[in-house]
Each structure stands twice: as structure tokens, then as C-alpha cells.
Amino acid sequence: MRTYHPEVPPRVEYEISGLGRSLAPLFAHLAEWADTHLGEVERARQAYDDTP
């Protein structure tokens, strides 16, 4: 959510909405997946970089 304050200088505040907060469990699951698979991702990246 964006709140504009007509001041000099102008000020804008941002806040996550309820809809945005509803994504929190998905991001938590994604972070868990990344933590679990980080080594595999790094090895795949290195294998790709080592390929001529």
C-alpha cells in the first residue's frame, strides 16, 4: 500500500497489504527449499561455469 503525504519535500510511505502478507507462507517455504538445496544449486552453477 502506498500513502502519499503532500509535504515539502513530498513524502511517501509503503506498507505491505493483507494480500501481500498472504504470500508470507509461500516465501517461507521458498526460503526453506533454498536452504535445503543451496549446495546442489552451487554445484550445478559451478558445473555450468566449468563447461567450455
Side-chain angles (χ1 to χ4, degrees):
M1 296 185 324
R2 181 179 185 269
T3 303
Y4 172 75
H5 300 273
E7 304 169 351
V8 176
R11 182 170 56 99
V12 179
E13 294 179 354
Y14 295 93
E15 179 182 351
I16 192 164
S17 66
L19 184 59
R21 276 191 294 278
S22 72
L23 292 170
L26 298 173
F27 285 118
H29 188 71
L30 180 60
E32 181 182 326
W33 180 93
D35 187 50
T36 300
H37 295 91
L38 182 59
E40 185 179 350
V41 171
E42 288 176 342
R43 287 189 296 277
R45 183 181 295 146
Q46 189 62 52
Y48 178 83
D49 289 345
D50 290 346
T51 303

Short mmCIF file of all heavy atoms in Angstrom, two decimals:
data_model
loop_
_atom_site.label_atom_id
_atom_site.label_comp_id
_atom_site.label_asym_id
_atom_site.label_seq_id
_atom_site.Cartn_x
_atom_site.Cartn_y
_atom_site.Cartn_z
N MET A 1 0.86 -1.16 0.00
CA MET A 1 0.00 0.00 0.00
C MET A 1 0.91 1.23 0.00
O MET A 1 1.95 1.23 0.62
CB MET A 1 -0.90 -0.02 1.23
CG MET A 1 -1.84 -1.21 1.23
SD MET A 1 -3.06 -1.29 2.58
CE MET A 1 -2.24 -0.66 3.97
N ARG A 2 0.51 2.23 -0.69
CA ARG A 2 1.30 3.45 -0.85
C ARG A 2 0.50 4.63 -0.30
O ARG A 2 -0.66 4.83 -0.68
CB ARG A 2 1.61 3.67 -2.33
CG ARG A 2 2.43 4.88 -2.64
CD ARG A 2 2.66 4.94 -4.15
NE ARG A 2 3.54 6.02 -4.51
CZ ARG A 2 3.16 7.24 -4.82
NH1 ARG A 2 1.88 7.56 -4.82
NH2 ARG A 2 4.05 8.16 -5.16
N THR A 3 1.13 5.39 0.59
CA THR A 3 0.49 6.58 1.15
C THR A 3 1.35 7.78 0.80
O THR A 3 2.53 7.84 1.15
CB THR A 3 0.37 6.47 2.68
OG1 THR A 3 -0.36 5.28 3.00
CG2 THR A 3 -0.37 7.68 3.25
N TYR A 4 0.75 8.72 0.09
CA TYR A 4 1.45 9.94 -0.33
C TYR A 4 1.09 11.06 0.65
O TYR A 4 -0.07 11.26 0.99
CB TYR A 4 1.03 10.33 -1.75
CG TYR A 4 1.56 11.67 -2.18
CD1 TYR A 4 2.89 11.82 -2.54
CD2 TYR A 4 0.73 12.78 -2.23
CE1 TYR A 4 3.39 13.06 -2.92
CE2 TYR A 4 1.21 14.01 -2.63
CZ TYR A 4 2.54 14.14 -2.97
OH TYR A 4 3.03 15.36 -3.36
N HIS A 5 2.12 11.76 1.11
CA HIS A 5 1.93 12.89 2.01
C HIS A 5 2.33 14.15 1.25
O HIS A 5 3.51 14.33 0.93
CB HIS A 5 2.79 12.74 3.27
CG HIS A 5 2.45 11.51 4.05
ND1 HIS A 5 1.46 11.48 4.99
CD2 HIS A 5 2.97 10.25 4.02
CE1 HIS A 5 1.38 10.27 5.51
NE2 HIS A 5 2.28 9.51 4.94
N PRO A 6 1.39 15.02 0.94
CA PRO A 6 1.70 16.23 0.15
C PRO A 6 2.41 17.28 1.01
O PRO A 6 1.83 18.26 1.45
CB PRO A 6 0.33 16.70 -0.33
CG PRO A 6 -0.62 16.20 0.70
CD PRO A 6 -0.03 14.92 1.23
N GLU A 7 3.67 17.01 1.27
CA GLU A 7 4.51 17.91 2.06
C GLU A 7 5.63 18.42 1.18
O GLU A 7 5.79 18.00 0.05
CB GLU A 7 5.10 17.15 3.26
CG GLU A 7 4.06 16.51 4.14
CD GLU A 7 4.67 15.56 5.16
OE1 GLU A 7 5.89 15.26 5.06
OE2 GLU A 7 3.94 15.11 6.05
N VAL A 8 6.43 19.30 1.74
CA VAL A 8 7.63 19.77 1.04
C VAL A 8 8.81 19.41 1.91
O VAL A 8 8.92 19.90 3.03
CB VAL A 8 7.57 21.30 0.80
CG1 VAL A 8 8.86 21.77 0.16
CG2 VAL A 8 6.37 21.67 -0.06
N PRO A 9 9.68 18.53 1.45
CA PRO A 9 9.58 17.74 0.23
C PRO A 9 8.52 16.65 0.36
O PRO A 9 8.16 16.26 1.48
CB PRO A 9 10.97 17.13 0.09
CG PRO A 9 11.50 17.03 1.47
CD PRO A 9 10.89 18.20 2.22
N PRO A 10 8.02 16.17 -0.76
CA PRO A 10 6.99 15.14 -0.73
C PRO A 10 7.50 13.89 0.00
O PRO A 10 8.68 13.58 -0.04
CB PRO A 10 6.72 14.81 -2.20
CG PRO A 10 7.27 15.96 -2.94
CD PRO A 10 8.36 16.55 -2.12
N ARG A 11 6.59 13.22 0.66
CA ARG A 11 6.95 12.01 1.40
C ARG A 11 5.97 10.91 1.02
O ARG A 11 4.77 11.15 0.87
CB ARG A 11 6.87 12.30 2.90
CG ARG A 11 7.26 11.14 3.78
CD ARG A 11 7.40 11.59 5.23
NE ARG A 11 6.21 12.21 5.77
CZ ARG A 11 5.30 11.60 6.54
NH1 ARG A 11 5.46 10.34 6.86
NH2 ARG A 11 4.25 12.27 6.99
N VAL A 12 6.50 9.70 0.85
CA VAL A 12 5.68 8.54 0.50
C VAL A 12 6.03 7.42 1.46
O VAL A 12 7.20 7.17 1.74
CB VAL A 12 5.93 8.09 -0.96
CG1 VAL A 12 5.09 6.87 -1.29
CG2 VAL A 12 5.63 9.22 -1.93
N GLU A 13 5.01 6.77 1.98
CA GLU A 13 5.20 5.61 2.85
C GLU A 13 4.65 4.37 2.16
O GLU A 13 3.61 4.44 1.50
CB GLU A 13 4.49 5.81 4.18
CG GLU A 13 5.04 6.93 5.01
CD GLU A 13 4.28 7.11 6.31
OE1 GLU A 13 3.23 6.44 6.51
OE2 GLU A 13 4.73 7.93 7.12
N TYR A 14 5.35 3.26 2.31
CA TYR A 14 4.90 1.99 1.74
C TYR A 14 4.69 0.99 2.85
O TYR A 14 5.44 0.95 3.82
CB TYR A 14 5.94 1.46 0.75
CG TYR A 14 6.11 2.33 -0.47
CD1 TYR A 14 7.09 3.32 -0.52
CD2 TYR A 14 5.28 2.16 -1.57
CE1 TYR A 14 7.23 4.13 -1.62
CE2 TYR A 14 5.42 2.97 -2.68
CZ TYR A 14 6.40 3.94 -2.71
OH TYR A 14 6.54 4.74 -3.81
N GLU A 15 3.66 0.19 2.72
CA GLU A 15 3.34 -0.84 3.70
C GLU A 15 2.76 -2.03 2.95
O GLU A 15 2.01 -1.86 1.98
CB GLU A 15 2.31 -0.28 4.68
CG GLU A 15 1.88 -1.25 5.74
CD GLU A 15 0.81 -0.63 6.65
OE1 GLU A 15 0.54 0.57 6.56
OE2 GLU A 15 0.23 -1.40 7.43
N ILE A 16 3.12 -3.23 3.38
CA ILE A 16 2.60 -4.41 2.72
C ILE A 16 1.11 -4.57 3.07
O ILE A 16 0.71 -4.34 4.21
CB ILE A 16 3.42 -5.67 3.07
CG1 ILE A 16 3.04 -6.82 2.16
CG2 ILE A 16 3.30 -6.01 4.53
CD1 ILE A 16 4.02 -7.96 2.17
N SER A 17 0.34 -4.93 2.09
CA SER A 17 -1.11 -5.10 2.29
C SER A 17 -1.40 -6.51 2.83
O SER A 17 -0.52 -7.38 2.86
CB SER A 17 -1.83 -4.91 0.96
OG SER A 17 -1.49 -5.96 0.07
N GLY A 18 -2.63 -6.71 3.23
CA GLY A 18 -3.05 -8.05 3.66
C GLY A 18 -2.85 -9.07 2.55
O GLY A 18 -2.44 -10.21 2.81
N LEU A 19 -3.13 -8.68 1.33
CA LEU A 19 -2.93 -9.58 0.20
C LEU A 19 -1.45 -9.94 0.07
O LEU A 19 -1.10 -11.11 -0.13
CB LEU A 19 -3.43 -8.92 -1.09
CG LEU A 19 -3.38 -9.76 -2.35
CD1 LEU A 19 -4.21 -11.03 -2.20
CD2 LEU A 19 -3.86 -8.94 -3.54
N GLY A 20 -0.59 -8.96 0.21
CA GLY A 20 0.85 -9.23 0.16
C GLY A 20 1.30 -10.12 1.31
O GLY A 20 2.11 -11.03 1.13
N ARG A 21 0.77 -9.86 2.52
CA ARG A 21 1.11 -10.68 3.69
C ARG A 21 0.67 -12.13 3.49
O ARG A 21 1.29 -13.05 4.04
CB ARG A 21 0.49 -10.11 4.95
CG ARG A 21 1.31 -9.01 5.57
CD ARG A 21 0.81 -8.65 6.96
NE ARG A 21 -0.52 -8.05 6.94
CZ ARG A 21 -0.77 -6.77 6.69
NH1 ARG A 21 0.22 -5.95 6.42
NH2 ARG A 21 -2.00 -6.30 6.69
N SER A 22 -0.35 -12.35 2.68
CA SER A 22 -0.82 -13.72 2.45
C SER A 22 0.22 -14.55 1.70
O SER A 22 0.14 -15.77 1.68
CB SER A 22 -2.15 -13.72 1.70
OG SER A 22 -1.97 -13.34 0.33
N LEU A 23 1.21 -13.90 1.10
CA LEU A 23 2.28 -14.61 0.41
C LEU A 23 3.38 -15.08 1.36
O LEU A 23 4.25 -15.87 0.97
CB LEU A 23 2.92 -13.71 -0.65
CG LEU A 23 2.04 -13.37 -1.85
CD1 LEU A 23 2.70 -12.29 -2.69
CD2 LEU A 23 1.78 -14.61 -2.67
N ALA A 24 3.37 -14.64 2.61
CA ALA A 24 4.44 -14.96 3.56
C ALA A 24 4.71 -16.46 3.67
O ALA A 24 5.87 -16.88 3.64
CB ALA A 24 4.14 -14.35 4.92
N PRO A 25 3.69 -17.32 3.79
CA PRO A 25 3.99 -18.75 3.88
C PRO A 25 4.68 -19.30 2.64
O PRO A 25 5.53 -20.18 2.73
CB PRO A 25 2.61 -19.40 4.07
CG PRO A 25 1.73 -18.32 4.57
CD PRO A 25 2.26 -17.05 3.98
N LEU A 26 4.34 -18.75 1.49
CA LEU A 26 4.99 -19.21 0.25
C LEU A 26 6.46 -18.82 0.24
O LEU A 26 7.33 -19.62 -0.13
CB LEU A 26 4.28 -18.63 -0.97
CG LEU A 26 2.82 -19.05 -1.12
CD1 LEU A 26 2.16 -18.29 -2.27
CD2 LEU A 26 2.72 -20.54 -1.35
N PHE A 27 6.76 -17.58 0.66
CA PHE A 27 8.14 -17.14 0.71
C PHE A 27 8.93 -17.92 1.76
O PHE A 27 10.10 -18.24 1.56
CB PHE A 27 8.25 -15.64 0.96
CG PHE A 27 7.91 -14.82 -0.24
CD1 PHE A 27 6.84 -13.94 -0.22
CD2 PHE A 27 8.65 -14.93 -1.41
CE1 PHE A 27 6.52 -13.18 -1.34
CE2 PHE A 27 8.34 -14.18 -2.54
CZ PHE A 27 7.27 -13.30 -2.50
N ALA A 28 8.29 -18.25 2.88
CA ALA A 28 8.95 -19.05 3.91
C ALA A 28 9.29 -20.44 3.36
O ALA A 28 10.38 -20.96 3.59
CB ALA A 28 8.06 -19.17 5.14
N HIS A 29 8.36 -21.02 2.62
CA HIS A 29 8.61 -22.34 2.01
C HIS A 29 9.74 -22.25 0.98
O HIS A 29 10.60 -23.13 0.91
CB HIS A 29 7.33 -22.87 1.37
CG HIS A 29 7.44 -24.28 0.89
ND1 HIS A 29 7.53 -25.35 1.74
CD2 HIS A 29 7.52 -24.79 -0.36
CE1 HIS A 29 7.65 -26.46 1.04
NE2 HIS A 29 7.64 -26.15 -0.24
N LEU A 30 9.74 -21.19 0.19
CA LEU A 30 10.81 -21.00 -0.80
C LEU A 30 12.16 -20.85 -0.11
O LEU A 30 13.16 -21.43 -0.55
CB LEU A 30 10.50 -19.77 -1.65
CG LEU A 30 11.52 -19.42 -2.74
CD1 LEU A 30 11.65 -20.56 -3.74
CD2 LEU A 30 11.10 -18.14 -3.44
N ALA A 31 12.21 -20.10 0.99
CA ALA A 31 13.46 -19.94 1.73
C ALA A 31 13.94 -21.27 2.31
O ALA A 31 15.13 -21.58 2.28
CB ALA A 31 13.28 -18.91 2.84
N GLU A 32 13.00 -22.06 2.80
CA GLU A 32 13.35 -23.40 3.32
C GLU A 32 13.91 -24.28 2.21
O GLU A 32 14.90 -24.98 2.40
CB GLU A 32 12.10 -24.03 3.94
CG GLU A 32 12.33 -25.39 4.54
CD GLU A 32 11.04 -25.99 5.10
OE1 GLU A 32 10.21 -25.22 5.61
OE2 GLU A 32 10.88 -27.21 5.00
N TRP A 33 13.26 -24.24 1.05
CA TRP A 33 13.73 -25.03 -0.10
C TRP A 33 15.15 -24.59 -0.48
O TRP A 33 16.02 -25.42 -0.71
CB TRP A 33 12.79 -24.85 -1.30
CG TRP A 33 13.24 -25.64 -2.49
CD1 TRP A 33 12.86 -26.89 -2.84
CD2 TRP A 33 14.18 -25.22 -3.50
NE1 TRP A 33 13.49 -27.28 -3.99
CE2 TRP A 33 14.31 -26.28 -4.41
CE3 TRP A 33 14.93 -24.07 -3.70
CZ2 TRP A 33 15.16 -26.22 -5.51
CZ3 TRP A 33 15.77 -24.00 -4.80
CH2 TRP A 33 15.88 -25.05 -5.69
N ALA A 34 15.37 -23.28 -0.54
CA ALA A 34 16.69 -22.77 -0.92
C ALA A 34 17.75 -23.20 0.08
O ALA A 34 18.86 -23.60 -0.30
CB ALA A 34 16.64 -21.24 -1.02
N ASP A 35 17.42 -23.15 1.37
CA ASP A 35 18.37 -23.57 2.39
C ASP A 35 18.71 -25.05 2.25
O ASP A 35 19.87 -25.44 2.35
CB ASP A 35 17.78 -23.29 3.78
CG ASP A 35 18.78 -23.53 4.89
OD1 ASP A 35 19.92 -23.02 4.79
OD2 ASP A 35 18.42 -24.23 5.86
N THR A 36 17.70 -25.86 1.97
CA THR A 36 17.90 -27.30 1.82
C THR A 36 18.72 -27.63 0.58
O THR A 36 19.54 -28.55 0.59
CB THR A 36 16.53 -28.02 1.73
OG1 THR A 36 15.81 -27.75 2.93
CG2 THR A 36 16.69 -29.51 1.55
N HIS A 37 18.54 -26.89 -0.52
CA HIS A 37 19.14 -27.24 -1.80
C HIS A 37 20.29 -26.33 -2.23
O HIS A 37 20.77 -26.45 -3.36
CB HIS A 37 18.05 -27.22 -2.89
CG HIS A 37 17.02 -28.28 -2.67
ND1 HIS A 37 15.88 -28.05 -1.95
CD2 HIS A 37 16.97 -29.57 -3.05
CE1 HIS A 37 15.17 -29.15 -1.91
NE2 HIS A 37 15.80 -30.09 -2.56
N LEU A 38 20.74 -25.46 -1.34
CA LEU A 38 21.78 -24.50 -1.73
C LEU A 38 23.03 -25.18 -2.25
O LEU A 38 23.58 -24.78 -3.27
CB LEU A 38 22.13 -23.58 -0.55
CG LEU A 38 23.16 -22.50 -0.85
CD1 LEU A 38 22.68 -21.59 -1.98
CD2 LEU A 38 23.45 -21.69 0.40
N GLY A 39 23.48 -26.22 -1.59
CA GLY A 39 24.68 -26.93 -2.05
C GLY A 39 24.51 -27.49 -3.44
O GLY A 39 25.42 -27.38 -4.28
N GLU A 40 23.38 -28.08 -3.72
CA GLU A 40 23.10 -28.65 -5.05
C GLU A 40 23.07 -27.55 -6.11
O GLU A 40 23.60 -27.73 -7.21
CB GLU A 40 21.77 -29.39 -5.02
CG GLU A 40 21.43 -30.11 -6.29
CD GLU A 40 20.11 -30.85 -6.19
OE1 GLU A 40 19.55 -30.96 -5.09
OE2 GLU A 40 19.66 -31.32 -7.25
N VAL A 41 22.46 -26.43 -5.78
CA VAL A 41 22.41 -25.30 -6.72
C VAL A 41 23.82 -24.77 -7.00
O VAL A 41 24.18 -24.51 -8.15
CB VAL A 41 21.50 -24.18 -6.18
CG1 VAL A 41 21.61 -22.92 -7.02
CG2 VAL A 41 20.05 -24.65 -6.11
N GLU A 42 24.63 -24.65 -5.95
CA GLU A 42 26.00 -24.17 -6.15
C GLU A 42 26.81 -25.13 -6.99
O GLU A 42 27.60 -24.71 -7.85
CB GLU A 42 26.66 -23.94 -4.79
CG GLU A 42 26.12 -22.73 -4.06
CD GLU A 42 26.71 -22.56 -2.67
OE1 GLU A 42 27.26 -23.53 -2.11
OE2 GLU A 42 26.60 -21.44 -2.14
N ARG A 43 26.64 -26.44 -6.76
CA ARG A 43 27.36 -27.43 -7.58
C ARG A 43 26.92 -27.36 -9.04
O ARG A 43 27.74 -27.43 -9.96
CB ARG A 43 27.15 -28.83 -7.02
CG ARG A 43 27.93 -29.08 -5.74
CD ARG A 43 27.88 -30.54 -5.31
NE ARG A 43 26.53 -30.99 -4.98
CZ ARG A 43 25.94 -30.79 -3.80
NH1 ARG A 43 26.57 -30.16 -2.85
NH2 ARG A 43 24.72 -31.25 -3.58
N ALA A 44 25.63 -27.20 -9.28
CA ALA A 44 25.13 -27.10 -10.66
C ALA A 44 25.66 -25.84 -11.33
O ALA A 44 26.03 -25.86 -12.50
CB ALA A 44 23.60 -27.11 -10.66
N ARG A 45 25.70 -24.75 -10.59
CA ARG A 45 26.22 -23.49 -11.13
C ARG A 45 27.70 -23.64 -11.48
O ARG A 45 28.13 -23.22 -12.55
CB ARG A 45 26.03 -22.36 -10.12
CG ARG A 45 26.48 -21.02 -10.65
CD ARG A 45 26.30 -19.92 -9.62
NE ARG A 45 24.88 -19.73 -9.36
CZ ARG A 45 24.37 -19.39 -8.18
NH1 ARG A 45 25.14 -19.21 -7.14
NH2 ARG A 45 23.08 -19.22 -8.05
N GLN A 46 28.45 -24.27 -10.59
CA GLN A 46 29.88 -24.47 -10.85
C GLN A 46 30.10 -25.39 -12.04
O GLN A 46 30.96 -25.11 -12.89
CB GLN A 46 30.58 -25.05 -9.62
CG GLN A 46 32.08 -25.08 -9.74
CD GLN A 46 32.68 -23.69 -9.89
OE1 GLN A 46 32.39 -22.81 -9.11
NE2 GLN A 46 33.51 -23.51 -10.90
N ALA A 47 29.31 -26.44 -12.16
CA ALA A 47 29.42 -27.35 -13.31
C ALA A 47 29.13 -26.60 -14.60
O ALA A 47 29.82 -26.80 -15.61
CB ALA A 47 28.47 -28.54 -13.15
N TYR A 48 28.14 -25.74 -14.58
CA TYR A 48 27.82 -24.94 -15.76
C TYR A 48 28.97 -24.00 -16.11
O TYR A 48 29.38 -23.90 -17.26
CB TYR A 48 26.55 -24.15 -15.53
CG TYR A 48 26.18 -23.26 -16.69
CD1 TYR A 48 25.48 -23.77 -17.78
CD2 TYR A 48 26.55 -21.91 -16.72
CE1 TYR A 48 25.15 -22.96 -18.87
CE2 TYR A 48 26.23 -21.10 -17.79
CZ TYR A 48 25.54 -21.62 -18.86
OH TYR A 48 25.23 -20.84 -19.93
N ASP A 49 29.52 -23.33 -15.10
CA ASP A 49 30.62 -22.39 -15.33
C ASP A 49 31.88 -23.10 -15.83
O ASP A 49 32.67 -22.51 -16.57
CB ASP A 49 30.95 -21.61 -14.06
CG ASP A 49 29.87 -20.61 -13.69
OD1 ASP A 49 29.01 -20.29 -14.55
OD2 ASP A 49 29.87 -20.14 -12.52
N ASP A 50 32.06 -24.35 -15.43
CA ASP A 50 33.25 -25.11 -15.83
C ASP A 50 33.13 -25.71 -17.24
O ASP A 50 34.10 -26.18 -17.80
CB ASP A 50 33.51 -26.23 -14.84
CG ASP A 50 33.98 -25.73 -13.49
OD1 ASP A 50 34.37 -24.53 -13.39
OD2 ASP A 50 33.94 -26.51 -12.51
N THR A 51 31.92 -25.68 -17.79
CA THR A 51 31.69 -26.25 -19.12
C THR A 51 32.24 -25.30 -20.18
O THR A 51 31.90 -24.11 -20.19
CB THR A 51 30.19 -26.47 -19.37
OG1 THR A 51 29.68 -27.32 -18.35
CG2 THR A 51 29.94 -27.09 -20.73
N PRO A 52 33.11 -25.85 -21.06
CA PRO A 52 33.68 -24.97 -22.11
C PRO A 52 32.67 -24.52 -23.14
O PRO A 52 31.66 -24.98 -23.36
CB PRO A 52 34.76 -25.82 -22.77
CG PRO A 52 34.64 -27.20 -22.23
CD PRO A 52 33.63 -27.17 -21.11
#
